[in-house]
Amino acid sequence: VGFIASGSVSSSNLTSENYIGIAQETVSTGNDVKVTTISGVDANQSSLTPAQIYYVQTDGTLSTTAGSPSVVAGTAIAATQLLVSRS
């Protein structure tokens, strides 16, 4: 799982205000990346619990526990799909 903070992909500046979605692949700095943005469905997940809210962690992973800062990634709509949203 990767996340995109507006203007950067760095986890050090993650906030709920600059989170725009989940990267669909890993890319090198300076290259284009496909992003599932707010209200889109990211279908590249696994082992999600449907109806559970997931949070972005500063290492780019998802968790059912809020990190610091607390940034909502979205809500699982299936074991492999996350409806990307904001808090």
Side-chain angles (χ1 to χ4, degrees):
V1 169
F3 69 90
I4 299 295
S6 180
S8 175
V9 293
S10 170
S11 61
S12 63
N13 67 352
L14 174 66
T15 69
S16 59
E17 290 81 21
N18 68 9
Y19 168 74
I20 62 167
I22 298 179
Q24 295 304 295
E25 57 195 340
T26 302
V27 297
S28 300
T29 301
N31 290 321
D32 294 337
V33 63
K34 293 179 183 177
V35 177
T36 301
T37 58
I38 306 304
S39 77
V41 176
D42 173 29
N44 293 326
Q45 300 300 318
S46 63
S47 303
L48 300 178
T49 301
Q52 179 69 52
I53 294 173
Y54 283 84
Y55 298 86
V56 179
Q57 304 301 300
T58 56
D59 65 359
T61 61
L62 295 179
S63 174
T64 56
T65 305
S68 181
S70 177
V71 178
V72 172
T75 303
I77 57 174
T80 59
Q81 297 180 335
L82 185 76
L83 176 59
V84 179
S85 63
R86 268 187 203 194
S87 51

PDB file of all heavy atoms in Angstrom, residues 1-2 4 19 23 25-27 29 35 37 39 47 51-52 57-58 64-69 71 73 78 80 85 87:
ATOM      1  N   VAL A   1       0.854  -1.170   0.000  1.00  0.00           N
ATOM      2  CA  VAL A   1       0.000   0.000   0.000  1.00  0.00           C
ATOM      3  C   VAL A   1       0.889   1.217   0.000  1.00  0.00           C
ATOM      4  O   VAL A   1       1.837   1.305   0.764  1.00  0.00           O
ATOM      5  CB  VAL A   1      -0.878   0.028   1.258  1.00  0.00           C
ATOM      6  CG1 VAL A   1      -1.574   1.349   1.413  1.00  0.00           C
ATOM      7  CG2 VAL A   1      -1.867  -1.095   1.229  1.00  0.00           C
ATOM      8  N   GLY A   2       0.555   2.148  -0.822  1.00  0.00           N
ATOM      9  CA  GLY A   2       1.226   3.430  -0.791  1.00  0.00           C
ATOM     10  C   GLY A   2       0.175   4.496  -0.630  1.00  0.00           C
ATOM     11  O   GLY A   2      -0.977   4.257  -0.888  1.00  0.00           O
ATOM     12  N   ILE A   4      -0.609   8.834  -1.109  1.00  0.00           N
ATOM     13  CA  ILE A   4      -0.139  10.048  -1.755  1.00  0.00           C
ATOM     14  C   ILE A   4      -0.563  11.240  -0.917  1.00  0.00           C
ATOM     15  O   ILE A   4      -1.737  11.414  -0.627  1.00  0.00           O
ATOM     16  CB  ILE A   4      -0.726  10.204  -3.172  1.00  0.00           C
ATOM     17  CG1 ILE A   4      -0.295   9.044  -4.055  1.00  0.00           C
ATOM     18  CG2 ILE A   4      -0.324  11.522  -3.781  1.00  0.00           C
ATOM     19  CD1 ILE A   4       1.186   8.968  -4.338  1.00  0.00           C
ATOM     20  N   TYR A  19      -3.832  14.193   2.389  1.00  0.00           N
ATOM     21  CA  TYR A  19      -4.023  12.833   1.877  1.00  0.00           C
ATOM     22  C   TYR A  19      -5.016  12.873   0.722  1.00  0.00           C
ATOM     23  O   TYR A  19      -6.121  13.401   0.858  1.00  0.00           O
ATOM     24  CB  TYR A  19      -4.544  11.923   2.991  1.00  0.00           C
ATOM     25  CG  TYR A  19      -5.038  10.588   2.510  1.00  0.00           C
ATOM     26  CD1 TYR A  19      -4.149   9.602   2.109  1.00  0.00           C
ATOM     27  CD2 TYR A  19      -6.393  10.304   2.459  1.00  0.00           C
ATOM     28  CE1 TYR A  19      -4.593   8.366   1.664  1.00  0.00           C
ATOM     29  CE2 TYR A  19      -6.851   9.075   2.016  1.00  0.00           C
ATOM     30  CZ  TYR A  19      -5.953   8.120   1.617  1.00  0.00           C
ATOM     31  OH  TYR A  19      -6.394   6.907   1.170  1.00  0.00           O
ATOM     32  N   ALA A  23      -1.657   5.055  -3.939  1.00  0.00           N
ATOM     33  CA  ALA A  23      -0.895   4.749  -5.152  1.00  0.00           C
ATOM     34  C   ALA A  23      -1.170   3.310  -5.578  1.00  0.00           C
ATOM     35  O   ALA A  23      -1.282   2.413  -4.745  1.00  0.00           O
ATOM     36  CB  ALA A  23       0.596   4.948  -4.903  1.00  0.00           C
ATOM     37  N   GLU A  25       0.849   1.553  -7.604  1.00  0.00           N
ATOM     38  CA  GLU A  25       2.093   0.852  -7.879  1.00  0.00           C
ATOM     39  C   GLU A  25       3.238   1.615  -7.243  1.00  0.00           C
ATOM     40  O   GLU A  25       3.091   2.771  -6.869  1.00  0.00           O
ATOM     41  CB  GLU A  25       2.318   0.735  -9.388  1.00  0.00           C
ATOM     42  CG  GLU A  25       2.332   2.088 -10.087  1.00  0.00           C
ATOM     43  CD  GLU A  25       2.182   1.974 -11.588  1.00  0.00           C
ATOM     44  OE1 GLU A  25       2.427   0.902 -12.149  1.00  0.00           O
ATOM     45  OE2 GLU A  25       1.817   2.981 -12.204  1.00  0.00           O
ATOM     46  N   THR A  26       4.372   0.965  -7.128  1.00  0.00           N
ATOM     47  CA  THR A  26       5.576   1.605  -6.623  1.00  0.00           C
ATOM     48  C   THR A  26       6.347   2.178  -7.800  1.00  0.00           C
ATOM     49  O   THR A  26       6.541   1.497  -8.801  1.00  0.00           O
ATOM     50  CB  THR A  26       6.456   0.582  -5.884  1.00  0.00           C
ATOM     51  OG1 THR A  26       5.690   0.008  -4.825  1.00  0.00           O
ATOM     52  CG2 THR A  26       7.699   1.228  -5.321  1.00  0.00           C
ATOM     53  N   VAL A  27       6.758   3.428  -7.681  1.00  0.00           N
ATOM     54  CA  VAL A  27       7.525   4.075  -8.746  1.00  0.00           C
ATOM     55  C   VAL A  27       8.692   4.841  -8.140  1.00  0.00           C
ATOM     56  O   VAL A  27       8.703   5.147  -6.955  1.00  0.00           O
ATOM     57  CB  VAL A  27       6.661   5.038  -9.587  1.00  0.00           C
ATOM     58  CG1 VAL A  27       5.559   4.304 -10.316  1.00  0.00           C
ATOM     59  CG2 VAL A  27       6.107   6.155  -8.746  1.00  0.00           C
ATOM     60  N   THR A  29      11.129   8.209  -7.725  1.00  0.00           N
ATOM     61  CA  THR A  29      10.922   9.645  -7.639  1.00  0.00           C
ATOM     62  C   THR A  29      11.000  10.272  -9.027  1.00  0.00           C
ATOM     63  O   THR A  29      11.876   9.940  -9.815  1.00  0.00           O
ATOM     64  CB  THR A  29      11.981  10.279  -6.720  1.00  0.00           C
ATOM     65  OG1 THR A  29      11.864   9.687  -5.427  1.00  0.00           O
ATOM     66  CG2 THR A  29      11.792  11.783  -6.613  1.00  0.00           C
ATOM     67  N   VAL A  35      -3.122   6.838  -9.175  1.00  0.00           N
ATOM     68  CA  VAL A  35      -3.614   6.995  -7.812  1.00  0.00           C
ATOM     69  C   VAL A  35      -5.125   6.802  -7.794  1.00  0.00           C
ATOM     70  O   VAL A  35      -5.838   7.373  -8.624  1.00  0.00           O
ATOM     71  CB  VAL A  35      -3.284   8.406  -7.265  1.00  0.00           C
ATOM     72  CG1 VAL A  35      -3.856   8.599  -5.866  1.00  0.00           C
ATOM     73  CG2 VAL A  35      -1.786   8.632  -7.275  1.00  0.00           C
ATOM     74  N   THR A  37      -8.102   8.039  -6.055  1.00  0.00           N
ATOM     75  CA  THR A  37      -8.356   9.224  -5.248  1.00  0.00           C
ATOM     76  C   THR A  37      -9.639   9.086  -4.426  1.00  0.00           C
ATOM     77  O   THR A  37     -10.365   8.096  -4.532  1.00  0.00           O
ATOM     78  CB  THR A  37      -8.427  10.474  -6.137  1.00  0.00           C
ATOM     79  OG1 THR A  37      -9.448  10.285  -7.115  1.00  0.00           O
ATOM     80  CG2 THR A  37      -7.094  10.744  -6.811  1.00  0.00           C
ATOM     81  N   SER A  39     -13.129   8.910  -3.001  1.00  0.00           N
ATOM     82  CA  SER A  39     -14.382   8.360  -3.525  1.00  0.00           C
ATOM     83  C   SER A  39     -14.167   7.291  -4.591  1.00  0.00           C
ATOM     84  O   SER A  39     -15.123   6.734  -5.110  1.00  0.00           O
ATOM     85  CB  SER A  39     -15.357   9.436  -4.003  1.00  0.00           C
ATOM     86  OG  SER A  39     -14.979   9.956  -5.244  1.00  0.00           O
ATOM     87  N   SER A  47      -7.020  -9.123   2.488  1.00  0.00           N
ATOM     88  CA  SER A  47      -7.284  -9.391   3.913  1.00  0.00           C
ATOM     89  C   SER A  47      -7.960  -8.247   4.658  1.00  0.00           C
ATOM     90  O   SER A  47      -7.762  -8.082   5.861  1.00  0.00           O
ATOM     91  CB  SER A  47      -5.980  -9.772   4.633  1.00  0.00           C
ATOM     92  OG  SER A  47      -5.390 -10.877   4.014  1.00  0.00           O
ATOM     93  N   ALA A  51     -16.610  -3.316   5.871  1.00  0.00           N
ATOM     94  CA  ALA A  51     -17.256  -2.327   6.741  1.00  0.00           C
ATOM     95  C   ALA A  51     -16.301  -1.725   7.772  1.00  0.00           C
ATOM     96  O   ALA A  51     -16.686  -0.827   8.514  1.00  0.00           O
ATOM     97  CB  ALA A  51     -18.490  -2.885   7.420  1.00  0.00           C
ATOM     98  N   GLN A  52     -15.060  -2.178   7.811  1.00  0.00           N
ATOM     99  CA  GLN A  52     -14.072  -1.649   8.751  1.00  0.00           C
ATOM    100  C   GLN A  52     -13.423  -0.387   8.169  1.00  0.00           C
ATOM    101  O   GLN A  52     -13.110  -0.337   6.991  1.00  0.00           O
ATOM    102  CB  GLN A  52     -12.995  -2.693   9.018  1.00  0.00           C
ATOM    103  CG  GLN A  52     -11.908  -2.253   9.967  1.00  0.00           C
ATOM    104  CD  GLN A  52     -12.395  -2.092  11.387  1.00  0.00           C
ATOM    105  OE1 GLN A  52     -12.998  -2.995  11.948  1.00  0.00           O
ATOM    106  NE2 GLN A  52     -12.139  -0.941  11.979  1.00  0.00           N
ATOM    107  N   GLN A  57      -0.908   4.578   7.888  1.00  0.00           N
ATOM    108  CA  GLN A  57       0.187   4.692   8.844  1.00  0.00           C
ATOM    109  C   GLN A  57       1.335   5.452   8.173  1.00  0.00           C
ATOM    110  O   GLN A  57       1.413   5.518   6.947  1.00  0.00           O
ATOM    111  CB  GLN A  57       0.640   3.306   9.293  1.00  0.00           C
ATOM    112  CG  GLN A  57      -0.481   2.456   9.871  1.00  0.00           C
ATOM    113  CD  GLN A  57      -1.152   3.098  11.077  1.00  0.00           C
ATOM    114  OE1 GLN A  57      -0.519   3.363  12.084  1.00  0.00           O
ATOM    115  NE2 GLN A  57      -2.453   3.362  10.961  1.00  0.00           N
ATOM    116  N   THR A  58       2.244   6.015   8.925  1.00  0.00           N
ATOM    117  CA  THR A  58       3.319   6.815   8.342  1.00  0.00           C
ATOM    118  C   THR A  58       4.303   5.992   7.525  1.00  0.00           C
ATOM    119  O   THR A  58       5.069   6.542   6.744  1.00  0.00           O
ATOM    120  CB  THR A  58       4.085   7.603   9.420  1.00  0.00           C
ATOM    121  OG1 THR A  58       4.577   6.692  10.404  1.00  0.00           O
ATOM    122  CG2 THR A  58       3.192   8.651  10.062  1.00  0.00           C
ATOM    123  N   THR A  64      -6.321  -0.838  11.149  1.00  0.00           N
ATOM    124  CA  THR A  64      -7.638  -0.513  11.711  1.00  0.00           C
ATOM    125  C   THR A  64      -7.492   0.404  12.919  1.00  0.00           C
ATOM    126  O   THR A  64      -8.480   0.863  13.464  1.00  0.00           O
ATOM    127  CB  THR A  64      -8.404  -1.787  12.107  1.00  0.00           C
ATOM    128  OG1 THR A  64      -7.605  -2.539  13.020  1.00  0.00           O
ATOM    129  CG2 THR A  64      -8.734  -2.625  10.888  1.00  0.00           C
ATOM    130  N   THR A  65      -6.259   0.667  13.302  1.00  0.00           N
ATOM    131  CA  THR A  65      -5.965   1.559  14.426  1.00  0.00           C
ATOM    132  C   THR A  65      -5.390   2.868  13.895  1.00  0.00           C
ATOM    133  O   THR A  65      -4.475   2.850  13.071  1.00  0.00           O
ATOM    134  CB  THR A  65      -4.942   0.908  15.380  1.00  0.00           C
ATOM    135  OG1 THR A  65      -5.438  -0.364  15.796  1.00  0.00           O
ATOM    136  CG2 THR A  65      -4.674   1.779  16.582  1.00  0.00           C
ATOM    137  N   ALA A  66      -5.910   3.973  14.380  1.00  0.00           N
ATOM    138  CA  ALA A  66      -5.409   5.278  13.956  1.00  0.00           C
ATOM    139  C   ALA A  66      -3.973   5.461  14.422  1.00  0.00           C
ATOM    140  O   ALA A  66      -3.607   5.065  15.522  1.00  0.00           O
ATOM    141  CB  ALA A  66      -6.278   6.390  14.525  1.00  0.00           C
ATOM    142  N   GLY A  67      -3.174   6.041  13.533  1.00  0.00           N
ATOM    143  CA  GLY A  67      -1.791   6.359  13.880  1.00  0.00           C
ATOM    144  C   GLY A  67      -1.690   7.813  14.305  1.00  0.00           C
ATOM    145  O   GLY A  67      -2.687   8.473  14.597  1.00  0.00           O
ATOM    146  N   SER A  68      -0.477   8.306  14.333  1.00  0.00           N
ATOM    147  CA  SER A  68      -0.247   9.710  14.645  1.00  0.00           C
ATOM    148  C   SER A  68       0.607  10.298  13.534  1.00  0.00           C
ATOM    149  O   SER A  68       1.764   9.918  13.402  1.00  0.00           O
ATOM    150  CB  SER A  68       0.467   9.858  15.983  1.00  0.00           C
ATOM    151  OG  SER A  68       0.664  11.220  16.280  1.00  0.00           O
ATOM    152  N   PRO A  69       0.010  11.108  12.692  1.00  0.00           N
ATOM    153  CA  PRO A  69      -1.335  11.674  12.770  1.00  0.00           C
ATOM    154  C   PRO A  69      -2.405  10.658  12.367  1.00  0.00           C
ATOM    155  O   PRO A  69      -2.102   9.672  11.692  1.00  0.00           O
ATOM    156  CB  PRO A  69      -1.289  12.814  11.757  1.00  0.00           C
ATOM    157  CG  PRO A  69      -0.312  12.353  10.730  1.00  0.00           C
ATOM    158  CD  PRO A  69       0.722  11.577  11.495  1.00  0.00           C
ATOM    159  N   VAL A  71      -5.074   9.536  10.050  1.00  0.00           N
ATOM    160  CA  VAL A  71      -5.487   9.810   8.672  1.00  0.00           C
ATOM    161  C   VAL A  71      -6.320   8.634   8.168  1.00  0.00           C
ATOM    162  O   VAL A  71      -5.809   7.524   8.024  1.00  0.00           O
ATOM    163  CB  VAL A  71      -4.268  10.028   7.755  1.00  0.00           C
ATOM    164  CG1 VAL A  71      -4.709  10.271   6.324  1.00  0.00           C
ATOM    165  CG2 VAL A  71      -3.414  11.183   8.264  1.00  0.00           C
ATOM    166  N   ALA A  73      -7.902   6.268   5.618  1.00  0.00           N
ATOM    167  CA  ALA A  73      -7.637   5.858   4.234  1.00  0.00           C
ATOM    168  C   ALA A  73      -8.944   5.557   3.519  1.00  0.00           C
ATOM    169  O   ALA A  73      -9.097   5.848   2.344  1.00  0.00           O
ATOM    170  CB  ALA A  73      -6.744   4.627   4.199  1.00  0.00           C
ATOM    171  N   ALA A  78     -15.026  -4.803   0.634  1.00  0.00           N
ATOM    172  CA  ALA A  78     -14.811  -6.229   0.373  1.00  0.00           C
ATOM    173  C   ALA A  78     -13.419  -6.557   0.913  1.00  0.00           C
ATOM    174  O   ALA A  78     -12.664  -5.657   1.277  1.00  0.00           O
ATOM    175  CB  ALA A  78     -14.894  -6.529  -1.123  1.00  0.00           C
ATOM    176  N   THR A  80     -10.892  -7.299  -0.654  1.00  0.00           N
ATOM    177  CA  THR A  80      -9.837  -6.797  -1.549  1.00  0.00           C
ATOM    178  C   THR A  80     -10.086  -5.370  -2.026  1.00  0.00           C
ATOM    179  O   THR A  80      -9.359  -4.882  -2.878  1.00  0.00           O
ATOM    180  CB  THR A  80      -9.714  -7.710  -2.782  1.00  0.00           C
ATOM    181  OG1 THR A  80     -10.973  -7.731  -3.469  1.00  0.00           O
ATOM    182  CG2 THR A  80      -9.297  -9.108  -2.390  1.00  0.00           C
ATOM    183  N   SER A  85     -11.514   7.390   1.199  1.00  0.00           N
ATOM    184  CA  SER A  85     -12.243   8.543   1.741  1.00  0.00           C
ATOM    185  C   SER A  85     -11.324   9.362   2.635  1.00  0.00           C
ATOM    186  O   SER A  85     -10.177   9.016   2.839  1.00  0.00           O
ATOM    187  CB  SER A  85     -13.475   8.081   2.512  1.00  0.00           C
ATOM    188  OG  SER A  85     -13.095   7.308   3.630  1.00  0.00           O
ATOM    189  N   SER A  87     -11.257  11.645   6.466  1.00  0.00           N
ATOM    190  CA  SER A  87     -11.936  11.750   7.765  1.00  0.00           C
ATOM    191  C   SER A  87     -12.759  13.009   7.828  1.00  0.00           C
ATOM    192  O   SER A  87     -12.648  13.893   7.028  1.00  0.00           O
ATOM    193  CB  SER A  87     -10.926  11.729   8.894  1.00  0.00           C
ATOM    194  OG  SER A  87      -9.905  12.664   8.696  1.00  0.00           O
TER     195      SER A  87
END
